[in-house]
Amino acid sequence: MNSGWKAEIAAVFGKELRSELRSRSGLTTAGLFGIVTVFTIAFASMNTKLDGNIAAGLLWVAVLFSSIVSLPRTFVTEEEQGTGDLLRQWARPHAVYWGKALFNLAQLGAMSLILSFLYLGFTGLDLKIAWLYWLTLFAGCAALAGAVTLTGAIVARAANRSSLAGAIAVPILLPIMAAGVAGMRAAFGSGFAESGAMSALGLVGYAVATFAIGPWLFAAIWKS
Amino acid sequence: MNSGWKAEIAAVFGKELRSELRSRSGLTTAGLFGIVTVFTIAFASMNTKLDGNIAAGLLWVAVLFSSIVSLPRTFVTEEEQGTGDLLRQWARPHAVYWGKALFNLAQLGAMSLILSFLYLGFTGLDLKIAWLYWLTLFAGCAALAGAVTLTGAIVARAANRSSLAGAIAVPILLPIMAAGVAGMRAAFGSGFAESGAMSALGLVGYAVATFAIGPWLFAAIWKS
Amino acid sequence: MGRATLAGVLEVKTLGKRFAGRWIFRGLSFDLVKGDRLAVLGPNGSGKSTLLKVIAGLLPQSEGQVKLPCSDVRKCLALSALEQSLYPSLTALEHLDLAARLRACESRAGSLLKMVGLEHASDLQAGHLSTGMKARLKMALAVQAQPAVLLLDEPGASLDEEGRALVEAIVLEQAARGCVLFASNDPSERRLANLELRLES
Amino acid sequence: MGRATLAGVLEVKTLGKRFAGRWIFRGLSFDLVKGDRLAVLGPNGSGKSTLLKVIAGLLPQSEGQVKLPCSDVRKCLALSALEQSLYPSLTALEHLDLAARLRACESRAGSLLKMVGLEHASDLQAGHLSTGMKARLKMALAVQAQPAVLLLDEPGASLDEEGRALVEAIVLEQAARGCVLFASNDPSERRLANLELRLES
Amino acid sequence: MGAATVWSFHISPAMGFQQPELARIFVWHFPCPILATVLLLLGGWFSANYLKTKDRHWDERAASANELGFIFCLLTMATGIVFSEVQWGAWWQWDPRQTSFLVVLFIYAAYFAVRGAFPDPERRASHSAAYALTAILPALFLIFVFPRLPQIVSFHPSDSILKGKIKGEYAYVVLTLMLLMGILSVWLYRLRVRAGLMALDSEFNNAELAIGSSTSTPTGVVRPVRISPEDGGSA
Ligand code: HEM
Ligand SMILES: Nc1ncnc2c1ncn2[C@@H]1O[C@H](COP(=O)(O)OP(=O)(O)OP(=O)(O)O)[C@@H](O)[C@H]1O
Ligand SMILES: Nc1ncnc2c1ncn2[C@@H]1O[C@H](COP(=O)(O)OP(=O)(O)OP(=O)(O)O)[C@@H](O)[C@H]1O
Ligand SMILES: [Mg+2]
Ligand SMILES: [Mg+2]
């Protein structure tokens, strides 16, 4: 049974990966956005020293936006291609949610890694507390992936998907970003370390919650 | 003839508009999206004073974001729905390009108006050179709309080579951002006014160029 | 013909579907036993495809129930529809493997592709298949899990002679396993059925 | 039958299409005059749809030329294909208006919808139309501009009796205006043609 | 209500505020967010019920609760803004409390955007329900937790309840007013729900009328056709 779930989730994940690698529209768009964003920020803050507060905020804006740009596509594409019914016939909702969420997580993780390196490279900030930085980043990505997969499913069948996605995803995700910013500030050495750690833990909790509750909510909208 | 072009462009524009506003909440959603976007920016820089440079950078990130979000809708959706061939049969490429680009421009313009008012209101930055600000903003939007429309076409058509599309798009977009940020900086009073004006003019030129050359490049991609 | 003695495979009770306040069909009740081949007929827009989708659980019904022989829909029901599109960037083989893994049935990809005459096209992306080849692949996907209830929406459309023969073979094979419902606009397909349901628009 | 005396409507010279190094068809040359009705036949995957797409200019040919009577493709050629999808959120009426404005021909929406029997569905979004209703709408869109060359890919598929009669009417009407090519898997449609082209796979 | 209002103007000026006599607005400011929170939680609960029993009456209740909750959010914001003008001398400065609560407004504005995006009622119901449930966690976080995070520097009082700084007649006024507003909101809610359910049922009735009186006549019947040999075999 358990292994059954694993196999199904893996199957969905693999399918997403394969189609994304063959037509990279999702990755391209996100990567495109990320790179240009980092460049813009770097350019804007060229001859001004970034302090940790702003830096954290900027980085999270980049991560949040690029997640929103690329992730809803996972379900929007299904509906626009008309392949949604195939998945509905073949797969159990939980497997679909987990498979897609994990794929989104992988995609987002990869992207935020690239973003981080570019960003840290460009702005020449130094990490006071490296582990806190990475913990926050990845917990944040997990929370984002879980939540955005759900929002993607919610908007997929709406006529005005693109703007609806932004409108509902951003406010839902802002708390994640807030916690993320708090964590990063601490990691950049401004703000209290322990409070930073707290918010990182908060992120972990939120991520767990989304991945636990998400499938149930998803099941409800997926079959209607 | 000329009127013919007008009618066709209007038709494409109207089609985009209709499918976007088909749902009851179309417009309000778009507005909400804009508000939420700028808000995120303000949120990121939570209780820290912004200086003109960063502010300019952030604003442009927001504009870029709202342009990229609409990017897939322009052509990726056409191809995924399988409606591309309809347009190819009915419309002349130039009409398609202009119609879609103008729609993106309208959307982006409206969005960046909302963005500006909220942003200036919230962050309490004062415009040293108002006309420069607005000139930069709209020239930038035009350039972005033109470029993004083209990029969308490449991403959609060059299915498996779409990472190449990204590689093409980045250099197209970077100058816009750079010039935009430079112009805004000047408008916010940091940086030299004349260099700001220069880059604003640069943007105008760039926008004109995109809308002039864009259709030809587009026609090449579109019919293959 | 002693139908009563046979165990029911599919039971449909007072089924009704409403779109935007308009009833497409209503009060449909029938139950099919092993070996039944029901042809769903009716003019364009009479609700054939809708009925099949509702039975397949892809659309929520507005009233009534559908009773399937087993609890897990993935295992005991399959739909192959003309309108259904495939993943353009996945190959025929990958489609079969994906479906098999998700449905937890063994993927008889090789034999299935052979049966529907796609053995040469197994590595073509579905986006590059012709209409008829897609239809064949969809049939292969439908029978893969050997469902008790097989739903075919316009199986013959877009298929050549050989393809239509294949449809007939599949329908008869399915009749030995359970029951089959097919919606059709092609009068020549009526001969495959032993039962008919005519929907009025 | 004095074909030579008639003005050619469509000329196809040594036309060939290659996909990934494989020739789907090659060296096709024919030339159609007013009144010609060419049936493109062949098994699934033999290249019928590809040929029509190439003639319509939706796919670039690998060799050869296609000569149309007028320079503006929008005006003198139209394709209605089974595979073609419509804008899900636009209504039937909006489709006709959009096409008319883009092609700069007058939109006879009312009469066209009446002709294809969609007068009641004119305000339904295309995403909510049934397969056959979509097919009818596509035919209406194709004949709207009264093109010299009409291409139909599997016109009969997914249409009911009335619909097939409609196809026949349209083919004959078109023959009076120019020429028509239709790809078909349905043997009963061969009778509509006066010429046949059989593609081998 | 009116009486309480009058009362609220006769009570002793609120202690602990810079301009006590103006701080009376607090008695209005405080109950709103509390009621809003309660209503939003109710909305979530109803949404959950809808997802369990696909009964659209629950959807109506959820919509009503969220609408009313949204209104109280707006009231909170309004009173809060006035309050901050009085106490902090500015209509709006980026106090984390203001910021975070603004996001709450966005979240629930988006709820109505979602409802508007789906014409098909069943779909609207399920999608908005899922969204409402997704929204609750972030909303609560933004209302109660975020402004109290240690690294957040907010001027906004956060402990006057916990530490019981509100006492005496003042507390009574707050409580009675809260009570009254509670009753008012219950009343409004029931009105709204009744209206909604009426609309719903009438829609169903119209659906019945749409096919005339024939509520039971099937639109099609299965009839056997000539039995072919292999069918005889299987039967
Ligand atoms: C737009 C500005 C404001 C907003 C959005 C707002 C919002 C809220 C909210 C949501 C609560 C209940 C949740 C909680 O207790 O944390 C609350 C409680 C309260 N607010 Fe405000 N408020 C604003 C401005 C103010 C101002 C300017 C004052 C006075 C200086 C004030 C005084 C209080 C007090 C005393 C409470 C009681 C809750 C407690 O102390 O624990 N508020 N406000
Ligand atoms: N989502 C929807 N919203 C509203 N009406 C719909 C929707 N889907 C289908 N319909 C309507 O339901 C009716 C039946 O559609 P359906 O596709 O079941 O017909 P059909 O019998 O399959 O026709 P065909 O023979 O053309 O396939 C059509 O009139 C169509 O307009
Ligand atoms: N983009 C493509 N890339 C590679 N091969 C393709 C592509 N499109 C079509 N083909 C191949 O070309 C052949 C002809 O396809 P086409 O759709 O023209 O067949 P058809 O005659 O229309 O078949 P059907 O009767 O099923 O409609 C098929 O074998 C298909 O695999
Ligand atoms: Mg159908
Ligand atoms: Mg074909």
Side-chain angles (χ1 to χ4, degrees):
Chain A
M1 187 55 206
N2 188 356
S3 77
W5 279 111
K6 279 214 202 69
E8 293 172 34
I9 293 170
V12 174
F13 186 94
K15 170 222 145 208
E16 291 298 327
L17 187 63
R18 226 180 265 112
S19 0
E20 182 58 40
L21 288 183
R22 284 184 194 159
S23 77
R24 298 186 199 75
S25 57
L27 265 180
T28 313
T29 329
L32 190 64
F33 176 77
I35 294 171
V36 178
T37 303
V38 169
F39 168 87
T40 311
I41 292 170
F43 183 84
S45 62
M46 205 143 51
N47 45 30
T48 60
K49 184 79 195 70
L50 274 182
D51 72 334
N53 293 339
I54 303 287
L58 292 179
L59 182 57
W60 271 100
V61 170
V63 173
L64 179 66
F65 281 0
S66 40
S67 73
I68 290 170
V69 165
S70 68
L71 300 195
R73 296 199 49 68
T74 48
F75 283 107
V76 173
T77 303
E78 293 280 353
E79 299 304 335
E80 282 177 356
Q81 283 176 351
T83 46
D85 280 348
L86 282 182
L87 268 190
R88 275 186 209 94
Q89 275 186 67
W90 295 345
R92 290 180 285 185
H94 286 50
V96 176
Y97 177 86
W98 273 86
K100 294 218 175 220
L102 287 178
F103 176 73
N104 287 345
L105 175 54
Q107 201 177 346
L108 191 53
M111 212 157 52
S112 53
L113 264 184
I114 302 172
L115 274 179
S116 306
F117 287 129
L118 285 174
Y119 191 70
L120 297 176
F122 271 125
T123 56
L125 287 158
D126 58 344
L127 289 177
K128 296 282 183 306
I129 320 173
W131 66 266
L132 183 54
Y133 179 89
W134 296 115
L135 176 63
T136 316
L137 190 65
F138 284 110
C141 285
L144 279 179
V148 174
T149 309
L150 203 52
T151 44
I154 291 177
V155 301
R157 278 153 159 167
N160 53 343
R161 307 174 198 86
S162 44
S163 45
L164 189 61
I168 77 173
V170 175
I172 289 285
L173 301 182
L174 270 176
I176 302 178
M177 181 172 128
V181 171
M184 290 262 168
R185 285 184 173 183
F188 284 136
S190 62
F192 323 90
E194 60 281 356
S195 69
M198 256 188 50
S199 45
L201 289 187
L203 277 179
V204 175
Y206 191 85
V208 173
T210 358
F211 272 81
I213 306 168
W216 302 100
L217 298 180
F218 173 73
I221 54 180
W222 178 239
K223 283 285 185 177
S224 80
Chain B
M1 184 55 204
N2 189 355
S3 76
W5 280 110
K6 278 213 202 69
E8 293 171 35
I9 294 171
V12 175
F13 187 95
K15 171 216 143 214
E16 293 296 332
L17 189 66
R18 226 181 271 107
S19 16
E20 184 68 18
L21 299 189
R22 178 59 72 193
S23 67
R24 266 199 287 117
S25 64
L27 261 182
T28 50
T29 309
L32 191 58
F33 171 72
I35 295 174
V36 151
T37 306
V38 72
F39 181 80
T40 316
I41 305 287
F43 195 77
S45 56
M46 200 163 33
N47 58 37
T48 55
K49 186 84 195 67
L50 282 179
D51 71 336
N53 294 340
I54 303 295
L58 278 174
L59 189 56
W60 274 104
V61 170
V63 176
L64 178 72
F65 174 59
S66 23
S67 73
I68 296 272
V69 161
S70 65
L71 178 146
R73 213 222 38 262
T74 44
F75 288 106
V76 175
T77 299
E78 292 280 354
E79 299 303 337
E80 280 176 357
Q81 283 176 354
T83 46
D85 280 348
L86 282 182
L87 267 189
R88 261 176 229 108
Q89 273 186 68
W90 296 344
R92 289 179 285 184
H94 287 49
V96 176
Y97 178 85
W98 274 85
K100 294 216 175 218
L102 285 179
F103 179 74
N104 287 346
L105 175 55
Q107 207 178 21
L108 204 51
M111 211 63 95
S112 53
L113 264 184
I114 305 175
L115 278 169
S116 307
F117 287 129
L118 291 168
Y119 193 66
L120 298 176
F122 280 163
T123 55
L125 288 159
D126 57 344
L127 288 178
K128 296 282 184 307
I129 320 172
W131 65 267
L132 181 54
Y133 178 87
W134 296 115
L135 178 62
T136 316
L137 189 65
F138 284 111
C141 285
L144 264 182
V148 159
T149 311
L150 202 54
T151 317
I154 303 173
V155 172
R157 292 295 283 166
N160 44 12
R161 303 185 304 284
S162 73
S163 47
L164 166 146
I168 296 172
V170 171
I172 297 181
L173 293 178
L174 285 189
I176 303 177
M177 299 317 261
V181 170
M184 292 258 165
R185 278 178 159 193
F188 285 137
S190 61
F192 318 95
E194 56 279 0
S195 71
M198 281 288 300
S199 46
L201 288 186
L203 272 182
V204 175
Y206 197 97
V208 173
T210 339
F211 272 80
I213 308 167
W216 303 99
L217 298 177
F218 174 73
I221 309 161
W222 181 238
K223 279 291 184 178
S224 72
Chain C
M1 59 179 278
R3 295 170 56 80
T5 65
L6 286 166
V9 183
L10 174 71
E11 272 182 56
V12 171
K13 279 220 190 67
T14 66
L15 197 63
K17 178 62 181 175
R18 193 178 56 227
F19 279 126
R22 183 172 136 254
W23 287 99
I24 304 305
F25 54 80
R26 188 164 198 195
L28 288 183
S29 304
F30 53 84
D31 68 10
L32 302 181
V33 300
K34 192 151 172 297
D36 276 344
R37 307 176 302 282
L38 173 65
V40 183
L41 306 172
N44 291 141
S46 55
K48 303 185 290 297
S49 306
T50 307
L51 174 60
L52 294 192
K53 279 200 192 133
V54 169
I55 293 177
L58 298 176
L59 281 176
Q61 66 264 45
S62 308
E63 65 177 29
Q65 308 91 29
V66 175
K67 279 217 191 62
L68 293 174
C70 74
S71 61
D72 188 351
V73 188
R74 301 175 302 156
K75 292 256 169 28
C76 66
L77 182 144
L79 165 67
S80 149
L82 178 63
E83 283 271 278
Q84 180 61 59
S85 31
L86 298 161
Y87 290 104
S89 58
L90 296 186
T91 69
L93 199 57
E94 286 166 341
H95 273 92
L96 283 161
D97 289 343
L98 177 63
R101 292 228 241 108
L102 287 174
R103 289 174 141 159
C105 65
E106 101 271 27
S107 130
R108 302 163 291 135
S111 61
L112 282 171
L113 285 174
K114 192 158 186 46
M115 178 185 77
V116 297
L118 288 180
E119 58 272 58
H120 307 305
S122 60
D123 292 336
L124 271 180
Q125 298 187 9
H128 297 171
L129 293 177
S130 81
T131 324
M133 293 160 97
K134 288 200 192 94
R136 290 158 183 254
L137 179 53
K138 279 181 270 181
M139 277 196 290
L141 286 164
V143 297
Q144 182 180 37
Q146 304 189 315
V149 179
L150 178 64
L151 310 174
L152 304 172
D153 191 355
E154 317 211 19
S158 86
L159 286 179
D160 54 17
E161 308 303 344
E162 176 203 327
R164 288 162 203 252
L166 176 65
V167 172
E168 178 158 4
I170 285 181
V171 167
L172 296 181
E173 178 198 340
Q174 175 64 26
R177 189 192 301 129
C179 69
V180 48
L181 288 77
F182 61 92
S184 168
N185 285 305
D186 179 354
S188 74
E189 273 168 359
R190 289 179 58 179
R191 66 188 156 67
L192 298 180
N194 69 329
L195 299 170
E196 282 187 355
L197 170 62
R198 181 168 297 279
L199 296 174
E200 311 306 337
S201 58
Chain D
M1 59 182 281
R3 296 171 53 81
T5 66
L6 285 166
V9 182
L10 174 70
E11 275 182 53
V12 171
K13 280 220 190 68
T14 65
L15 196 63
K17 178 64 183 174
R18 202 197 308 100
F19 277 128
R22 183 171 134 257
W23 286 99
I24 306 302
F25 54 80
R26 187 167 198 186
L28 284 183
S29 304
F30 52 84
D31 135 9
L32 301 181
V33 300
K34 193 150 170 299
D36 276 344
R37 308 175 303 281
L38 174 66
V40 183
L41 306 173
N44 291 143
S46 56
K48 302 185 291 297
S49 306
T50 308
L51 174 60
L52 294 192
K53 280 201 190 131
V54 169
I55 294 177
L58 297 176
L59 280 176
Q61 65 263 46
S62 311
E63 65 177 30
Q65 306 92 27
V66 175
K67 279 217 189 61
L68 293 174
C70 74
S71 61
D72 189 349
V73 189
R74 299 176 302 156
K75 292 257 169 30
C76 66
L77 183 142
L79 165 67
S80 148
L82 178 64
E83 282 271 277
Q84 180 61 58
S85 35
L86 299 160
Y87 289 104
S89 60
L90 295 187
T91 69
L93 201 56
E94 286 166 342
H95 273 92
L96 284 161
D97 289 344
L98 176 64
R101 295 231 238 104
L102 287 174
R103 291 174 139 160
C105 66
E106 100 273 25
S107 129
R108 302 164 289 134
S111 60
L112 283 172
L113 284 174
K114 193 158 185 44
M115 178 186 79
V116 297
L118 287 180
E119 59 272 54
H120 307 304
S122 60
D123 291 335
L124 272 179
Q125 297 185 13
H128 297 170
L129 294 177
S130 80
T131 324
M133 294 159 99
K134 289 201 192 92
R136 289 157 184 258
L137 179 53
K138 280 181 270 182
M139 275 195 292
L141 286 164
V143 296
Q144 183 180 37
Q146 304 188 314
V149 180
L150 178 65
L151 310 174
L152 304 172
D153 191 356
E154 316 211 21
S158 85
L159 287 179
D160 54 17
E161 267 71 359
E162 177 203 327
R164 287 162 204 250
L166 176 67
V167 172
E168 179 157 5
I170 284 181
V171 167
L172 297 181
E173 178 197 341
Q174 174 64 25
R177 188 191 303 127
C179 69
V180 47
L181 289 76
F182 60 91
S184 168
N185 285 305
D186 178 355
S188 74
E189 275 168 356
R190 290 178 57 179
R191 68 189 157 64
L192 297 180
N194 69 334
L195 300 168
E196 282 189 358
L197 169 64
R198 180 168 298 279
L199 297 174
E200 308 308 335
S201 58
Chain E
M1 215 62 200
T5 319
V6 177
W7 188 15
S8 73
F9 281 105
H10 286 314
I11 57 169
S12 60
M15 61 298 289
F17 290 123
Q18 287 157 22
Q19 287 153 335
E21 58 287 348
L22 280 175
R24 290 201 183 86
I25 188 162
F26 168 74
V27 302
W28 294 97
H29 170 70
F30 178 57
C32 292
I34 304 305
L35 287 175
T37 316
V38 172
L39 281 163
L40 297 182
L41 287 177
L42 271 180
W45 166 247
F46 294 154
S47 305
N49 280 346
Y50 172 80
L51 292 185
K52 267 201 235 84
T53 74
K54 294 274 180 218
D55 173 6
R56 272 177 56 197
H57 292 73
W58 284 116
D59 175 53
E60 279 303 327
R61 298 197 182 94
S64 319
N66 281 328
E67 276 173 24
L68 210 54
F70 186 59
I71 293 176
F72 275 109
C73 285
L74 289 174
L75 284 177
T76 310
M77 188 50 104
T79 51
I81 286 178
V82 175
F83 210 159
S84 68
E85 214 290 325
V86 174
Q87 294 294 336
W88 304 338
W91 295 107
W92 190 274
Q93 75 281 37
W94 285 94
D95 187 275
R97 152 61 74 208
Q98 298 169 315
T99 329
S100 65
F101 201 74
L102 193 57
V103 181
V104 176
L105 287 184
F106 289 153
I107 289 184
Y108 282 96
Y111 173 81
F112 301 108
V114 172
R115 288 192 78 82
F118 295 95
D120 172 39
E122 275 82 12
R123 223 167 246 182
R124 186 195 311 136
S126 52
H127 283 63
S128 56
Y131 177 75
L133 288 170
T134 323
I136 280 192
L137 213 54
L140 289 182
F141 171 82
L142 287 167
I143 296 181
F144 293 104
V145 183
F146 179 75
R148 291 179 169 79
L149 288 179
Q151 71 267 43
I152 300 297
V153 282
S154 167
F155 300 125
H156 187 279
S158 61
D159 54 358
S160 39
I161 298 305
L162 308 177
K163 297 216 180 107
K165 283 184 191 164
I166 299 175
K167 41 180 122 49
E169 192 187 7
Y170 196 78
Y172 292 130
V173 180
V174 175
L175 290 181
T176 34
L177 210 57
M178 191 144 164
L179 199 68
L180 288 172
M181 291 174 78
I183 294 166
L184 174 71
S185 54
V186 169
W187 178 64
L188 284 174
Y189 168 76
R190 305 215 19 227
L191 273 184
R192 168 67 180 77
V193 168
R194 200 173 310 132
L197 294 189
M198 271 173 158
L200 193 61
D201 297 337
S202 68
E203 172 195 328
F204 271 110
N205 298 337
N206 295 345
E208 303 296 338
L209 295 179
I211 61 159
S213 60
S214 66
T215 43
S216 61
T217 50
T219 54
V221 286
V222 175
R223 55 178 180 73
V225 294
R226 80 258 167 285
I227 308 298
S228 46
E230 66 273 13
D231 177 73
S234 82

